[in-house]
Amino acid sequence: MFSKTLCKALRGGVNSFHIKDALKCHVNNSPNILRHHHCMMLPESISQSPDFFFRQLFDNESSTYTYLLADTTTKEAIIIDPVLELAERDAQLIRDLGLTLKYAMNTHMHADHVTGTGLLKKLLPGSKSLISKSSGAQADIYVEEGVDIQFGRHRLSVRATPGHTNGCVTYVSHEQGVAFTGDALLIRGCGRTDFQEGNSKTLYNSVHSQIFTLPDSFKLYPAHDYKGQTTTTVGEEKHYNPRLTKPLDEFIKIMENLNLPYPKMIGKLEVVFAQLLWRNKGNVCGDRRFLQNVSNYTQD
């Protein structure tokens, strides 16, 4: 049943890479064994360093993931894509862990929830808001392609991934082998492109040039998931993503025919954002034009 090459590799105590190559060769030469599954070879994962803290948090209402990262030595932390209604939860967790929040940051300007960065700045004085310069949103710090965001000895590199919005960025930690993709790339999907500066061709090119060029083993953490999954890898999405594995023309047609409904949070957003503007006299971390246009926005 097994080829001589495979049996020799298994008996000889060779390393995992040789065994993988032998298995690949065996499967390719045996059309009746495993081939019909179209399974990918799993890359070896990158181990995170002991001084890198990572916590994934979730909002049930908007299906949003928030990420808390920190240097366990210096206790300096950042939080990615916080949600307004859960800002107190996040602030309490940061206090409990003895961390100091440096940046409350977003991957893009969200249309399905109000960011929690403004409230976190009040709850945790000294922290600053951060977002892409291309987003059109208000923040203390603006970032662009190629900038590094430092917390302790760790850093995230900024990669511009527009298409869902003009200001979408992906944050990448090469040392830890992780990337935070916002709504540009979701697990077996991607952000919609039918509103809020969306452009299907731009999104396709962004993902293929900025995310799919990362090593296959890199773990990807999106801003949302609606099916209960928490993470994926570059290799998985290059192999299994039902939209982005298609040629560009086919991808554009798919995106044009999604026919997605309005989000369940859209009415609530108008009320919450109006309250924020009133309480803060217009000084919130987000684009004030959003209030005028929010009724035309739809879910990621």
Side-chain angles (χ1 to χ4, degrees), residues 107-108 132 134-135 159-170 181 183-184:
T107 53
H108 64 296
S132 164
S134 301
S135 67
R159 292 195 172 199
T161 48
H164 172 62
T165 72
N166 286 342
C168 287
V169 293
T170 291
T181 58
D183 288 358

Side-chain angles (χ1 to χ4, degrees), residues 113-126:
H113 68 269
V114 177
T115 178
T117 54
L119 182 52
L120 280 170
K121 286 170 58 180
K122 291 185 176 182
L123 295 171
L124 300 170

Side-chain angles (χ1 to χ4, degrees), residues 59-75:
D59 170 40
N60 287 319
E61 281 294 311
S62 61
S63 297
T64 299
Y65 284 122
T66 296
Y67 300 97
L68 178 63
L69 313 180
D71 182 315
T72 60
T73 302
T74 66
K75 306 297 184 181

